Amino acid sequence: MLTQAKPQDEPTLERLIETAFVKYFQVLGLDWPGPYPWLPEAIAPGRVLWIDGAKGCAFIDRDDDALKIDQITIDPAHQRRGTGRRAMEAVEELAVTAGFARITLFTAQLHTRLVAFYSSLGYRIFDVPPPESNKDNIPRIHIMKPLN
């Protein structure tokens, strides 16, 4: 289900991100933040994984004993069809195999559907930083799932 993205995948990844995050940013009342000058840097060290072909992608990183999901993106044509759930399960399996103790990620507090989705997978809120601590002042929650 998970395969490593390659530098030549950058245009496809960019289109996927643009398509998948339209509603996310609309709910937040923000314009789309592209372009993505950070994308080549993320792809190069192997931090970007394709999900089930090109149905989505996951941007991952290490944070001490945790695998951190910086972003998980599902193509709108595959949302609400189990792709996100299978993707999260695959990332969890990867984290366990790599010896991580937990997975962490954050999401906008206003996205109650996403908060409910992550909660249904066993993730719990562990931090609610003040909005002004984020560069865009959007209230976010940090969530975590132990992998023992």
Side-chain angles (χ1 to χ4, degrees), residues 53-120:
K55 292 180 181 174
C57 61
F59 292 77
I60 60 171
D61 206 354
R62 171 184 286 276
D63 186 16
D64 295 324
D65 67 342
L67 182 136
K68 179 174 73 171
I69 300 173
D70 286 325
Q71 183 182 110
I72 193 148
T73 307
I74 305 298
D75 184 313
H78 298 282
Q79 291 177 5
R80 305 187 69 83
R81 296 173 185 227
T83 304
R85 181 173 297 277
R86 289 190 305 277
M88 292 299 291
E89 290 167 355
V91 170
E92 289 174 17
E93 186 177 317
L94 174 75
V96 168
T97 301
F100 289 101
R102 59 197 171 99
I103 292 183
T104 64
L105 61 98
F106 66 87
T107 192
Q109 207 168 10
L110 292 171
H111 281 282
T112 55
R113 184 175 64 85
L114 287 175
V115 175
F117 169 71
Y118 293 125
S119 294
S120 76

Side-chain angles (χ1 to χ4, degrees), residues 13 15-16 18-20 28-29 32 41 46 58 64 68 75 78 80 86 90 121 123 133 137 139 145 148:
L13 282 164
R15 281 191 302 276
L16 173 64
E18 286 176 356
T19 306
L28 299 175
W32 184 245
E41 186 178 314
D64 295 324
K68 179 174 73 171
D75 184 313
H78 298 282
R80 305 187 69 83
R86 289 190 305 277
L121 296 174
Y123 288 79
S133 68
N137 290 328
K145 181 178 183 177
N148 46 23

